[in-house]
Amino acid sequence: FALDLSLDGMLVATRERVLTGEELLVSFRAPRGTTWIDAQARVARVIHGRRPSDAGRCLGISFVDLEGASQRALRQALRGLPLAEPGRSGPAYRAA
């Protein structure tokens, strides 16, 4: 289940145990459309769901190869959609 989507990647809710750096092939339908998009991706972050602000276990996936028609279709589908709210209010530390 995709929680957030951009031209660079997506945040996906999952029950699977996947490691950071693992390569994936993702297939998803563009928002508000019927176009299916296939892309090579890499797990950039694993969220374990321990923080109150976490939406459960999630994967931050970075697209490695999203070009041509797929990129154009996704750009068009995302146009006009609202930006996602940040998951956290800021860093947990204060810079000196």
Side-chain angles (χ1 to χ4, degrees):
F1 184 77
L3 301 172
D4 190 5
L5 177 63
S6 75
L7 289 175
D8 297 319
M10 61 196 316
L11 180 65
V12 180
T14 184
R15 291 186 182 141
E16 301 297 321
R17 296 199 182 269
V18 182
L19 299 174
T20 301
E22 199 165 327
E23 293 188 8
L24 306 171
L25 175 63
V26 295
S27 297
F28 58 95
R29 194 169 58 194
R32 306 177 299 177
T34 58
T35 303
W36 282 89
I37 296 173
D38 298 322
Q40 291 180 311
R42 182 171 287 118
V43 177
R45 181 173 180 209
V46 177
I47 301 168
H48 298 280
R50 293 184 280 240
R51 294 183 174 106
S53 62
D54 291 346
R57 179 181 295 279
C58 298
L59 301 176
I61 297 172
S62 177
F63 298 136
V64 173
D65 184 23
L66 182 66
E67 297 179 356
S70 293
Q71 188 177 52
R72 287 189 298 276
L74 183 54
R75 179 179 284 118
Q76 180 65 29
L78 293 174
R79 186 170 284 133
L81 291 177
L83 295 175
E85 293 290 324
R88 297 192 183 114
S89 60
Y93 62 90
R94 187 173 214 127

